[in-house]
Amino acid sequence: MADLKRRTLQLNSGKQIKLYGNSVAIGKTLEIGEGYAPNILSLIEEQPEDKTSSGVSNPHKLTVDDLMELADFNIQLWMDLKAGLRRCGKVDQRIFGQELPKNPAAPPEKPETGRRRKNTGNESSSGQDGSISGQ
C-alpha cells in the first residue's frame, strides 16, 4: 500500500513522488493533485508557552457528522477513479468520465436550445390562448 513519508509518496512499484505539502487530494473531476493547504481541519502545533496541549483548527465549525460526510464524499471519488481504471484497463481520458469522440475530425454538435412552440394561427401574437383569466 502507498505510504507518505517525509513529503514523499512511496508506491509499491518503487516509484516515489516528491510533494510540496503533506497530502494528496482528488477533485470532483477525478483529477489528482496535492491538497497541501490544511484549511478545513488541521492540527495546531504552535501554542503559546503557557499551554502544553496542541489544538485543532476547525474554522468552519464542522461537526463529526460533517467530517464523516466529507470523508464519504472523498472516498466515493477515489472509488469512482478505481472503477474508471478497471473499466478502461489503462490510463486514458475515459477514466475521467469522458468518452473519446467517435469521429475526431467532425466538429462538435451544437447543443439543443429550448424549442419554440410553432404558431398555428389560432393564437394571437401576444401569446394568449383564449382562456378566461380572473379579470
Side-chain angles (χ1 to χ4, degrees), residues 2-22:
D3 195 13
L4 184 58
K5 293 181 180 175
R6 296 186 183 140
R7 293 186 175 183
T8 302
L9 181 63
Q10 299 174 347
L11 303 174
N12 286 339
S13 65
K15 292 181 182 177
Q16 296 183 350
I17 302 170
K18 280 289 214 191
L19 302 174
Y20 294 101
N22 58 3

Side-chain angles (χ1 to χ4, degrees), residues 52-73:
T52 57
S53 64
S54 294
V56 173
S57 173
N58 184 1
H60 303 284
K61 297 178 177 40
L62 300 176
T63 65
V64 170
D65 288 338
D66 294 334
L67 292 168
M68 294 288 236
E69 181 181 353
L70 180 59
D72 288 340
F73 174 73

Side-chain angles (χ1 to χ4, degrees):
M1 179 181 283
D3 195 13
L4 184 58
K5 293 181 180 175
R6 296 186 183 140
R7 293 186 175 183
T8 302
L9 181 63
Q10 299 174 347
L11 303 174
N12 286 339
S13 65
K15 292 181 182 177
Q16 296 183 350
I17 302 170
K18 280 289 214 191
L19 302 174
Y20 294 101
N22 58 3
S23 62
V24 177
I26 187 167
K28 194 170 181 179
T29 59
L30 304 184
E31 295 172 304
I32 301 169
E34 289 191 59
Y36 56 89
N39 57 357
I40 295 174
L41 182 73
S42 62
L43 179 65
I44 300 173
E45 295 183 24
E46 298 176 11
Q47 291 290 320
E49 292 179 17
D50 58 337
K51 292 186 179 181
T52 57
S53 64
S54 294
V56 173
S57 173
N58 184 1
H60 303 284
K61 297 178 177 40
L62 300 176
T63 65
V64 170
D65 288 338
D66 294 334
L67 292 168
M68 294 288 236
E69 181 181 353
L70 180 59
D72 288 340
F73 174 73
N74 277 281
I75 290 167
Q76 186 58 56
L77 291 174
W78 286 108
M79 296 302 288
D80 292 347
L81 177 64
K82 285 178 71 173
L85 291 167
R86 285 188 186 108
R87 184 178 62 248
C88 296
K90 61 181 180 177
V91 177
D92 187 281
Q93 75 182 37
R94 292 175 293 174
I95 63 175
F96 301 110
Q98 299 176 3
E99 295 299 321
L100 292 171
K102 291 183 180 10
N103 185 359
E109 293 183 29
K110 283 186 168 180
E112 265 191 60
T113 58
R115 295 182 183 200
R116 293 184 181 179
R117 208 171 74 192
K118 194 173 188 180
N119 191 350
T120 60
N122 296 338
E123 302 165 346
S124 67
S125 62
S126 64
Q128 296 175 347
D129 62 357
S131 62
I132 300 173
S133 63
Q135 291 177 345

